[in-house]
Amino acid sequence: MNRIQGSPGYVLHARPYRESSQLLELLTPGEGRIAAVLRGGRGRGRGTARPFVRLDLAWSGRGEVQTLNRCDEAAVLHLTGARAVCGLYVNELAVKLLPRQLPDPGFYAAYEAVLTGLADPAMPPEPGLRRYELALLRLLGEGLDFIDPAALEAQVTYVVPPQAPPRPAAPGEDSPYAIAGDSLAALLQDRLQGRGQQREAQRLLRRLLEHHLEGKPIVSRQLIARGRSDRTS
């Protein structure tokens, strides 16, 4: 039997289970993504199974679904409006791409960092989202770490296909995985500047994530796009 006496964690997704319980997808540093049942959770009125809340957890059980023995709030991150939608995007990516029981404290730290940034209205959300997407791709074995930023030529356009080394784009080539050398280097060195580099990095990471999603839609992206459309209409 698996028995964890104490661990921090976050709710990635929650849905009703039986009469008053909840089935949760959780992210923890030591066990990675796990499924667990919170018995009577919907009847407590305490809101312990909310997203964007760091929890103090304990669980036990056999098999894939664990039973929570403790689920207490430790810290609440206040995300509202468009930032809350970005938080839902972060959670949706983890649920749809992160294998269960693949512990990685570094990815957990990246997840916590992006939520903390989204909760701070003084911080722009885009840099944190790009760091999170990059951390998730690394965990999936995408291998962008093998690229040496110093070897990239700033004015050269590179094609970075899924799970393959980058190469200079052929003359006239129009690839969804294309990115300028200076933008790729800035992405890898966490120094993206300006809307042009931000857009190029976002487009590349989105295409690489879509490769791993294998056609699964990301619903929260549609909400983000709708919010941008409402602001410009």
Side-chain angles (χ1 to χ4, degrees):
M1 173 181 285
N2 188 29
R3 186 180 297 275
I4 303 296
Q5 297 295 340
S7 170
Y10 289 87
V11 173
L12 298 173
H13 185 262
R15 64 181 176 87
Y17 180 72
R18 295 183 177 173
E19 291 185 0
S20 61
S21 300
Q22 288 179 295
L23 182 61
L24 307 178
E25 292 286 344
L26 300 166
L27 183 66
T28 69
E31 299 287 318
R33 180 169 76 94
I34 65 169
V37 172
L38 176 60
R39 299 195 183 281
R42 286 185 287 152
R44 297 183 181 189
R46 294 167 56 193
T48 54
R50 296 180 293 162
F52 320 139
V53 176
R54 189 171 74 244
L55 301 169
D56 178 23
L57 303 167
W59 66 85
S60 59
R62 295 185 176 89
E64 190 171 329
V65 180
Q66 307 295 302
T67 298
L68 286 175
N69 303 318
R70 185 171 70 250
C71 183
D72 297 327
E73 290 187 358
V76 178
L77 299 173
H78 297 284
L79 276 64
T80 59
R83 289 173 179 262
V85 177
C86 289
L88 294 176
Y89 167 73
V90 165
N91 284 352
E92 190 175 1
L93 278 182
V95 169
K96 291 185 174 176
L97 286 176
L98 188 63
R100 282 203 180 121
Q101 297 178 320
L102 180 64
D104 189 307
F107 177 74
Y108 180 88
Y111 174 86
E112 194 164 47
V114 70
L115 289 191
T116 300
L118 289 172
D120 184 352
M123 294 182 64
E126 287 80 7
L129 290 171
R130 302 294 84 79
R131 294 185 199 107
Y132 172 77
E133 292 166 339
L134 192 57
L136 180 55
L137 285 166
R138 285 168 174 160
L139 187 59
L140 295 172
E142 189 56 52
L144 294 177
D145 285 342
F146 63 75
I147 302 174
D148 180 9
L152 299 171
E153 297 183 46
Q155 303 306 316
V156 171
T157 297
Y158 291 88
V159 175
V160 189
Q163 298 179 317
R167 59 173 176 79
E173 181 177 2
D174 183 17
S175 170
Y177 302 105
I179 184 171
D182 58 348
S183 298
L184 180 56
L187 170 64
L188 297 173
Q189 295 174 330
D190 193 19
R191 55 175 180 82
L192 290 168
Q193 296 180 344
R195 293 182 62 84
Q197 286 191 349
Q198 287 283 356
R199 279 196 295 265
E200 281 197 287
Q202 180 187 41
R203 183 180 65 177
L204 175 63
L205 295 179
R206 176 173 293 187
R207 295 295 181 266
L208 293 172
L209 288 166
E210 286 173 351
H211 170 77
H212 289 276
L213 284 164
E214 298 179 333
K216 299 174 188 173
I218 297 295
V219 177
S220 49
R221 267 189 198 153
Q222 301 170 12
L223 298 176
I224 294 171
R226 187 182 305 166
R228 288 172 179 160
S229 175
D230 291 342
R231 289 196 299 270
T232 57
S233 61

